[in-house]
């Protein structure tokens, strides 16, 4: 049984920072990709970032480039999302996901098999 447990969400002022963590129990896939998605109320789930098994350069959605940094520790089966210069539009529930997408589907939620329960990030003054 694979479980993903996220932590690190909370309330932060605009311009502030948060660091999300997601720990995976067990070995979900062979050479899994670990990713972050987010969903704001009334909106569709959105890809945020992904890190492939070899820890090659992470992939990001354009709106977070230069502000968010994704990384992973394969020994701990953990993926991180360092979020800096947070904006109100970053407010959402953030989910980690694990799977084995091919490059062309890396930004698609349907390509990931395992999902965490989500952690709320609220950016507000």
């Amino acid at each position: 049984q694979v479980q993903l447990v996220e932590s690190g969400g909370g309330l932060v002022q605009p311009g502030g920072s948060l660091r999300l963590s997601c720990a995976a129990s067990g070995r979900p896939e062979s050479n899994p990709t670990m990713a972050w998605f987010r969903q704001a109320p009334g909106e569709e789930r959105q890809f945020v970032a992904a890190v492939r098994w070899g820890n090659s350069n992470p992939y990001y959605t354009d709106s977070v480039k230069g502000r968010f940094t994704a990384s992973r520790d394969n020994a701990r089966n953990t993926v991180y999302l360092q979020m800096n210069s947070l904006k109100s539009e970053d407010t959402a529930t953030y989910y980690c996901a694990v799977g084995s997408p091919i490059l062309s589907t890396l930004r698609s939620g349907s390509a990931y098999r395992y999902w965490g329960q989500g952690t709320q990030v609220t950016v507000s003054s």
Side-chain angles (χ1 to χ4, degrees):
Q1 184 75 14
V2 175
Q3 286 189 319
L4 304 180
V5 179
E6 297 119 334
S7 60
L11 172 64
V12 64
Q13 293 187 341
S17 298
L18 283 174
R19 188 191 193 210
L20 305 183
S21 300
C22 173
S25 63
R27 182 69 179 268
E29 308 270 343
S30 295
N31 302 336
T33 294
M34 304 184 81
W36 291 96
F37 289 77
R38 66 185 180 187
Q39 187 168 22
E43 297 186 10
E44 293 185 354
R45 183 176 58 196
Q46 178 191 29
F47 169 80
V48 177
V51 188
R52 305 191 83 180
W53 172 255
N55 259 322
S56 57
N57 290 337
Y59 299 83
Y60 300 98
T61 192
D62 286 346
S63 62
V64 308
K65 285 181 181 177
R67 300 188 299 122
F68 291 11
T69 302
S71 62
R72 63 188 287 173
D73 182 339
N74 289 337
R76 292 181 168 83
N77 282 343
T78 300
V79 63
Y80 305 97
L81 186 67
Q82 177 67 44
M83 305 185 294
N84 298 329
S85 302
L86 282 161
K87 305 176 182 180
S88 58
E89 51 262 44
D90 295 318
T91 295
T93 301
Y94 284 69
Y95 299 89
C96 70
V98 172
S100 297
I102 58 176
L103 188 57
S104 62
T105 64
L106 185 136
R107 291 174 172 80
S108 173
S110 61
Y112 293 86
R113 182 176 181 183
Y114 302 104
W115 290 83
Q117 81 286 354
T119 185
Q120 179 66 35
V121 172
T122 302
V123 185
S124 175
S125 56

